[in-house]
Amino acid sequence: MDMDSASSVVLQALTQATSQDTAVLKPAEEQLRQWETQPGFYSVLLNIFNNHMLDVNVRWLAVLYFKNGIDRYWRRVAPHALSEEEKMSLRAGLITNFNEPVNQIATQIAVLIAKVARLDCPRQWPELIPILLESVKGQDGLQQHRALLTFYHVTKTLASKRLAQDKRLFQDLASGIYSFACSLWSHHTDCFLQQIYARDEAALSHPLSSSLLFQGFLNAVFERLKQFLECCRQVGPDSTCREKLEKTIILYTKVLLDFLEYHPCAFIPLIQRSLEFAVSYVFTPAGEGVTFERFIVQCMNLIKMIVKNDAYKPAKNIDDSKPESLEAHRIKTAFFTHPTLTEIGRRLVSHYFLLTEEELAMWEEDPESFAVEETGGDSWKYSLRPCTEVLFLDIFHNYSQTLTPVLLEMVQNLQGPTSVEDPVQLLMKDAVYNAVGLAAYELFDNVDFDQWFKNQLLGELQVSHHRYKLIRRRVIWLIGQWISVKFKSDLRPLLYEVILSLMQDPDLVVRIETSIFGLLFQLLQQVTECDTKMQVLHVISCVIERVNIQIRPYVGCLVQYLPLLWKQSEEHNMLRCAILTTLIHLVQGLGAESKNLYPFLLPVIQLSTDVSQPPHVYLLEDGLELWLVTLENSPAITPELLRIFQNMSALLELSSENLRTCFQIVNAYIYLSATEFLQNYAEALCRSFCDLLKDITNEGQVQVLKVVEIALKVSPILGAHMFQPLLPAVFRGIVDGERYPVVMSTYLGIMGRVLLQNSSFFSSLLTQMASECNQEMDQLLGSVIEMWVDRMDNITQPERRKLSSLALLSLLPSDNSVIQDKFCGIINICVEALHDVMTEDPDTGTFKDCMLMSHFEEPKLSDDEEPPTEQDKRKKLLALEDPVHSVSLQQFVYEKLKAQQAMMGDQGFGVLMETVDTEIVRQLQEFLQGL
């Protein structure tokens, strides 16, 4: 690309690509895409985004195209890779100056320099770090800041490399720049503090942002934090200075948290000081007037990470402990004394567990949002209440002997009813009950919960005063925490009566916390928040799962409502996930009756498993599970159910963690309607399987082969025909002696089905393989039998062992010298299989094949057993026709040996039997006696 002529046309295309008019935008984007592989294109882009006179949007787009080009074409092995000459020119152009005036563009340039550095520094770009350091030392403020910004992104990127050689290079780099970076960090921090004391708000932003680029340096972090916190005491809560200070404090505490997370052993010298600092500000008067919520969260996380860090715990056998673990444990033990732990435990419960005025106001104004906030997910790192509860749990778990008496004393002080006129005591009781619920497992041996429930908690649930809703809601939550820990079953009917009354409670939060089916459904319709609907759906799913088929008389309203809810939740994928989970349990509960849901159910499955639809990112896993249970409970195939399988090819191409479920779905279709399914989709499946087998683990290979095995089991003729392209590889695997036992076992299972149930196909396959291997058919057949006998021990399932015996016996009677030569091995594995499947009748002393099935019976189920699915019934009916379950191995061996004897005559057969070990012959005669 000629630079002079190209600059104007590229600039014009970039300008058009920023247009809001799609008629202008689309052609420009297409033109830029075509230029991506043209030599010189990225040099033109570099000149454009370095030209500060041009439009900001054009320059921004030029940077983005340049950055994307690095990802696609910078590596030497990439298709259309950039030439070394152009890359050398680009590297030089990227670091000629650091004076970009626009912050967003400066950040993007820093990121793209870091991307190049990850690939080229230091070998092809040794001058990068020296130039950055030199620019940082300059007096120009903008240049220094931009160089620091670039230095930060480069350092962060290089530190993320994981190869040992790259790590060594980064260590060498870090040792050369550490002291310089620390001094620069200290200088900018001093400047920032001076400006805070001088109330110079206008000058705050630049030195602060420069300093914070060096978060990773730990010298004097604690002293700096104390200085910042003292500044907080002196400045007003609403000033710009205060806001800057709080951001700085959070970033400095993040330094400690990151260092502790990634380098716990190197952090050991800082444990004592960290604990002193955090506990002082969070649990003593020292923090009054200076702390703020996010800082308290950071301090609590610091304590929590120290308390539960595995690197700081000695091994069970003290002699196996590492010295650093013992040292960390010693420091923690010395710090967490009885008085310290007592104060932390009391203050956590009596101060941080108390509901705030804001939370109580939210309860009154928006109870549904309050209930959602209270159960707010995986947010312990960022929100004070969940963070407080997690810290309490971790400390209580590690120091339960000290903290259990403290908590029990707090419970004892609150025994009896609490006056509704005493809001302070109501809040305290709520907090203490919260602690007892959280620590339920730790308090198992110390609390007689059954007595407490009967003597105290039951009465509190029956106090109907409006102000007592705080305690009603907390008590039902508390029971929910303890019910799986320590709660007698004979108390449950009493509890259920109370729950039913609470489901009619005038307060929505109490009803949500209580969460029986009709009442639950009413609640689901009443609430409006997505999170609350998800919570109620979760409880409904649990109820359906627990009662199973007994749910059928009660689901009519829910079945009618779910389509409407699905439509309303189009923009809320997590709510749709909850609906999918509910549908999974609903289909399992309804069984074959779930076919009545197909007009709603099948489009839901179609959407959830279509990888061309954006929602699949959220819905796929649950959608696949719903697809599977729908097939398992389907009484018969329908055209719509068959049509959904069109989604499967793309799913198999993903090769994701859902691949096992995909194979289960394929198997379910085969069990449901093998003929229709295989005729429609076997060809496409074969192509997908062939692609998968090129690059798949042994476990994945087994999953593919099991599909073929099931197809042969359900329909031996059609299955062999449809999956014919895969069978030569199975044949070769047997002949070559596949090393992985589970794969070999599956190979033999497949070939056993073909040989036993489709012998003509086996003959044509043997002919094909003999031609490909340039061998005689008999020679190849001998190799197969020999390997089969040799690797019989790879087969662990009794069904497959019996199948192999039946398959090899099906070769008899034969006058083929190769088969007669392998006769001894065939008889050996038959006797082994007879030992596997034959059981002795204690009354008659005769043997019978324990795998034989003569008829299908509906199993008698206990209350705890789930009824069989439609697929379970299909498998049982299929087993009645399967030779493994319909042919007596004992009778089959006898008939084949008699036929061989008739073919060869007594003398010839006697000579053949002499090739078998005498002990094996004795065991065989014992099994065959009476026939």
Side-chain angles (χ1 to χ4, degrees):
M1 182 176 278
D2 179 71
M3 292 289 291
D4 294 331
S5 60
S7 293
S8 59
V9 292
V10 173
L11 179 59
Q12 182 183 6
L14 287 168
T15 304
Q16 292 170 341
T18 63
S19 171
Q20 300 299 312
D21 184 352
T22 55
V24 177
L25 170 68
K26 293 297 182 183
E29 286 182 339
E30 176 61 26
Q31 182 62 73
L32 289 166
R33 188 188 65 77
Q34 293 176 9
W35 284 336
E36 283 180 359
T37 56
Q38 292 293 314
F41 176 62
Y42 294 97
S43 300
V44 174
L45 291 178
L46 176 65
N47 289 337
I48 290 173
F49 68 70
N50 274 339
N51 187 345
H52 303 163
M53 304 297 292
L54 296 175
D55 179 73
V56 170
N57 292 325
V58 172
R59 296 175 56 234
W60 167 265
L61 197 57
V63 174
L64 292 184
Y65 270 96
F66 193 104
K67 189 172 71 170
N68 293 336
I70 295 170
D71 293 331
R72 295 172 184 167
Y73 309 116
W74 198 273
R75 296 178 186 273
R76 284 188 304 238
V77 295
H80 309 291
L82 294 172
S83 68
E84 291 302 318
E85 294 77 11
E86 186 172 5
K87 287 198 289 186
M88 185 182 301
S89 171
L90 293 172
R91 285 193 294 261
L94 285 170
I95 53 175
T96 50
N97 57 66
F98 296 96
N99 58 353
E100 172 55 53
V102 181
N103 286 332
Q104 293 90 336
I105 294 178
T107 301
Q108 290 300 320
I109 292 173
V111 169
L112 70 84
I113 290 174
K115 284 178 174 286
V116 175
R118 182 179 181 86
L119 299 171
D120 290 358
C121 184
R123 292 181 184 85
Q124 286 82 33
W125 208 3
E127 66 273 20
L128 173 62
I129 300 300
I131 288 176
L132 285 174
L133 293 178
E134 191 63 33
S135 300
V136 168
K137 293 175 184 178
Q139 297 303 308
D140 183 278
L142 178 63
Q143 179 178 335
Q144 187 184 68
H145 181 271
R146 297 314 191 217
L148 274 173
L149 180 67
T150 306
F151 188 41
Y152 164 70
H153 282 285
V154 168
T155 306
K156 181 180 177 181
T157 301
L158 294 179
S160 68
K161 300 180 77 171
R162 288 291 173 259
L163 294 178
Q165 187 177 12
D166 292 325
K167 284 186 174 183
R168 285 194 297 271
L169 286 171
F170 182 73
Q171 287 169 358
D172 294 340
L173 168 66
S175 63
I177 64 176
Y178 182 81
S179 58
F180 167 74
C182 280
S183 63
L184 194 64
W185 172 77
S186 182
H187 166 72
H188 283 295
T189 305
D190 287 336
C191 292
F192 174 63
L193 284 168
Q194 288 168 12
Q195 289 155 1
I196 287 286
Y197 284 120
R199 302 292 201 274
D200 186 0
E201 296 188 5
L204 276 174
S205 61
H206 178 64
L208 172 64
S209 59
S210 298
S211 174
L212 294 181
L213 291 168
F214 293 105
Q215 299 171 32
F217 306 103
L218 282 172
N219 276 350
V221 164
F222 291 106
E223 293 305 318
R224 294 297 191 188
L225 277 170
K226 288 179 180 178
Q227 289 176 306
F228 292 143
L229 287 163
E230 190 56 37
C231 285
C232 285
R233 199 187 299 276
Q234 298 181 26
V235 302
D238 300 323
S239 71
T240 305
C241 293
R242 175 71 180 224
E243 183 183 344
K244 295 287 185 182
L245 275 168
E246 289 187 0
K247 287 182 178 179
T248 307
I249 289 167
I250 292 307
L251 287 170
Y252 275 48
T253 53
K254 188 177 184 301
V255 171
L256 296 171
L257 289 168
D258 288 349
F259 192 67
L260 170 56
E261 181 178 359
Y262 295 109
H263 306 285
C265 292
F267 193 85
I268 290 173
L270 295 168
I271 290 177
Q272 177 75 23
R273 199 166 186 187
S274 297
L275 290 172
E276 289 173 350
F277 175 84
V279 171
S280 170
Y281 280 102
V282 176
F283 297 109
T284 74
E288 292 177 4
V290 298
T291 57
F292 51 96
E293 182 171 312
R294 187 68 192 278
F295 172 69
I296 295 172
V297 169
Q298 296 286 78
C299 287
M300 286 186 174
N301 284 334
L302 190 61
I303 299 169
K304 179 192 76 71
M305 290 172 70
I306 291 172
V307 166
K308 69 179 296 186
N309 200 306
D310 290 336
Y312 299 162
K313 297 176 182 177
K316 290 182 179 179
N317 182 356
I318 203 72
D319 294 333
D320 296 334
S321 301
K322 296 179 181 178
E324 54 267 30
S325 297
L326 292 174
E327 173 63 12
H329 183 67
R330 183 194 65 76
I331 297 169
K332 285 164 54 181
T333 304
F335 179 82
F336 286 113
T337 61
H338 189 282
T340 300
L341 285 169
T342 300
E343 182 59 29
I344 290 173
R346 286 188 184 279
R347 192 156 174 83
L348 277 170
V349 176
S350 63
H351 179 74
Y352 290 107
F353 274 22
L354 295 179
L355 289 173
T356 65
E357 290 183 8
E358 290 82 1
E359 288 171 320
L360 293 171
M362 178 185 271
W363 187 333
E364 294 296 334
E365 296 165 9
D366 190 357
E368 194 178 334
S369 294
F370 170 79
V372 171
E373 287 289 325
E374 274 286 285
T375 56
D378 188 20
S379 58
W380 64 265
K381 284 189 177 179
Y382 312 107
S383 182
L384 182 56
R385 179 165 299 282
C387 177
T388 303
E389 293 178 352
V390 171
L391 177 61
F392 172 81
L393 272 171
D394 288 326
I395 289 186
F396 205 99
H397 175 73
N398 284 275
Y399 301 101
S400 58
Q401 287 186 327
T402 301
L403 291 173
T404 295
V406 175
L407 183 54
L408 293 180
E409 181 187 349
M410 299 179 80
V411 173
Q412 190 62 40
N413 292 337
L414 292 165
Q415 284 302 296
T418 301
S419 171
V420 295
E421 305 299 332
D422 190 347
V424 174
Q425 282 297 92
L426 287 173
L427 288 171
M428 182 60 71
K429 178 173 278 191
D430 174 78
V432 172
Y433 282 9
N434 187 15
V436 175
L438 292 172
Y441 285 96
E442 306 295 337
L443 295 171
F444 180 88
D445 295 322
N446 303 97
V447 173
D448 187 340
F449 193 79
D450 296 330
Q451 286 299 316
W452 195 26
F453 170 74
K454 288 187 291 186
N455 298 338
Q456 167 101 11
L457 300 178
L458 188 58
E460 295 196 287
L461 286 173
Q462 295 166 343
V463 178
S464 59
H465 195 282
H466 173 71
R467 292 179 190 163
Y468 219 75
K469 67 183 182 182
L470 193 71
I471 306 304
R472 292 198 302 274
R473 171 251 186 182
R474 181 57 71 190
V475 168
I476 198 66
W477 173 87
L478 173 63
I479 294 169
Q481 295 294 107
W482 274 85
I483 199 164
S484 61
V485 178
K486 195 178 188 180
F487 195 80
K488 285 183 179 177
S489 58
D490 56 4
L491 290 176
R492 294 196 176 194
L494 182 59
L495 173 61
Y496 297 152
E497 287 182 23
V498 176
I499 289 175
L500 282 169
S501 66
L502 287 176
M503 287 295 292
Q504 322 265 349
D505 195 279
D507 187 81
L508 179 61
V509 173
V510 177
R511 298 207 303 276
I512 290 172
E513 198 66 67
T514 304
S515 325
I516 295 290
F517 194 80
L519 296 172
L520 278 170
F521 175 63
Q522 292 175 20
L523 182 60
L524 180 62
Q525 291 177 300
Q526 289 169 6
V527 297
T528 57
E529 292 280 344
C530 277
D531 286 344
T532 316
K533 286 185 179 290
M534 287 166 60
Q535 191 175 343
V536 178
L537 280 170
H538 172 70
V539 179
I540 288 174
S541 295
C542 292
V543 172
I544 296 172
E545 184 179 23
R546 181 70 182 88
V547 302
N548 205 279
I549 61 173
Q550 297 172 53
I551 200 67
R552 293 176 184 178
Y554 309 103
V555 297
C557 293
L558 179 64
V559 166
Q560 291 175 17
Y561 177 63
L562 284 178
L564 175 62
L565 183 59
W566 179 265
K567 186 175 181 180
Q568 291 172 343
S569 61
E570 189 170 357
E571 302 299 322
H572 304 281
N573 287 308
M574 298 313 294
L575 176 54
R576 284 195 159 186
C577 287
I579 297 171
L580 288 171
T581 303
T582 304
L583 284 170
I584 289 167
H585 295 302
L586 194 56
V587 169
Q588 290 170 328
L590 290 173
E593 292 179 21
S594 61
K595 67 180 186 298
N596 298 323
L597 300 181
Y598 283 3
F600 166 56
L601 198 60
L602 300 188
V604 167
I605 296 171
Q606 167 72 39
L607 174 69
S608 305
T609 60
D610 185 350
V611 298
S612 68
Q613 298 291 331
H616 91 273
V617 175
Y618 304 94
L619 308 179
L620 180 57
E621 186 174 351
D622 293 316
L624 287 170
E625 189 65 29
L626 177 59
W627 192 357
L628 178 60
V629 299
T630 299
L631 289 166
E632 289 174 340
N633 289 277
S634 176
I637 195 71
T638 68
E640 296 78 15
L641 191 55
L642 193 61
R643 197 176 302 123
I644 298 176
F645 196 80
Q646 293 171 359
N647 286 356
M648 185 58 71
S649 292
L651 290 166
L652 292 174
E653 287 176 14
L654 285 178
S655 298
S656 66
E657 64 275 7
N658 296 308
L659 208 51
R660 180 184 292 273
T661 309
C662 290
F663 288 132
Q664 290 174 322
I665 289 169
V666 175
N667 294 337
Y669 270 106
I670 294 172
Y671 283 124
L672 180 59
S673 181
T675 301
E676 286 183 83
F677 173 69
L678 292 175
Q679 287 175 345
N680 280 278
Y681 294 110
E683 186 177 344
L685 260 183
C686 256
R687 287 196 298 271
S688 296
F689 285 175
C690 288
D691 291 338
L692 276 172
L693 290 170
K694 294 173 185 175
D695 182 25
I696 199 171
T697 63
N698 285 323
E699 184 182 358
Q701 190 176 353
V702 169
Q703 295 299 320
V704 172
L705 294 170
K706 278 185 177 178
V707 174
V708 180
E709 187 177 20
I710 289 170
L712 291 166
K713 181 179 180 180
V714 175
S715 181
I717 307 298
L718 184 61
H721 175 69
M722 292 298 183
F723 288 110
Q724 191 277 334
L726 296 172
L727 294 177
V730 174
F731 197 102
R732 280 191 293 271
I734 295 173
V735 174
D736 295 341
E738 163 65 44
R739 290 182 299 173
Y740 189 56
V742 181
V743 175
M744 187 60 163
S745 172
T746 315
Y747 281 163
L748 295 174
I750 290 171
M751 204 51 61
R753 290 282 172 193
V754 174
L755 177 56
L756 179 63
Q757 295 179 269
N758 197 349
S759 57
S760 61
F761 188 89
F762 180 82
S763 297
S764 62
L765 179 62
L766 183 64
T767 304
Q768 175 188 342
M769 298 309 298
S771 174
E772 288 183 15
C773 300
N774 198 23
Q775 290 188 35
E776 293 292 330
M777 283 178 57
D778 285 350
Q779 180 187 357
L780 191 57
L781 177 60
S783 300
V784 169
I785 298 172
E786 185 174 345
M787 188 58 70
W788 205 322
V789 171
D790 183 59
R791 301 298 290 275
M792 187 69 175
D793 287 342
N794 289 165
I795 306 175
T796 56
Q797 302 95 324
E799 290 86 354
R800 274 196 190 149
R801 292 176 67 82
K802 179 178 177 180
L803 175 65
S804 285
S805 301
L806 292 171
L808 289 174
L809 280 168
S810 70
L811 295 169
L812 303 178
S814 174
D815 57 1
N816 187 307
S817 60
V818 171
I819 294 175
Q820 291 183 8
D821 187 49
K822 306 301 179 186
F823 180 81
C824 171
I826 294 173
I827 297 302
N828 283 347
I829 64 170
C830 287
V831 172
E832 284 184 27
L834 285 166
H835 279 290
D836 293 330
V837 305
M838 300 301 289
T839 56
E840 187 175 5
D841 188 325
D843 297 328
T844 63
T846 58
F847 290 95
K848 61 179 181 179
D849 190 329
C850 66
M851 288 191 180
L852 290 180
M853 295 173 59
S854 57
H855 61 283
F856 175 67
E857 285 185 358
E858 287 279 1
K860 295 179 180 179
L861 302 173
S862 68
D863 291 340
D864 295 330
E865 290 182 305
E866 293 184 4
T869 65
E870 294 300 303
Q871 181 162 300
D872 293 330
K873 296 174 186 177
R874 286 191 281 272
K875 287 181 178 180
K876 289 283 181 66
L877 291 171
L878 179 63
L880 294 176
E881 302 174 7
D882 186 351
V884 172
H885 298 290
S886 61
V887 174
S888 165
L889 180 59
Q890 177 192 37
Q891 187 70 35
F892 197 67
V893 171
Y894 176 77
E895 290 173 357
K896 288 295 181 180
L897 291 180
K898 291 295 289 183
Q900 188 70 34
Q901 184 179 22
M903 175 182 284
M904 299 182 68
D906 292 347
Q907 184 177 359
F909 182 71
V911 172
L912 189 61
M913 287 299 295
E914 286 176 2
T915 63
V916 183
D917 183 82
T918 54
E919 177 57 25
I920 298 295
V921 173
R922 185 194 66 76
Q923 293 175 23
L924 178 63
Q925 290 170 340
E926 187 176 336
F927 280 120
L928 299 183
Q929 67 183 8
L931 294 179

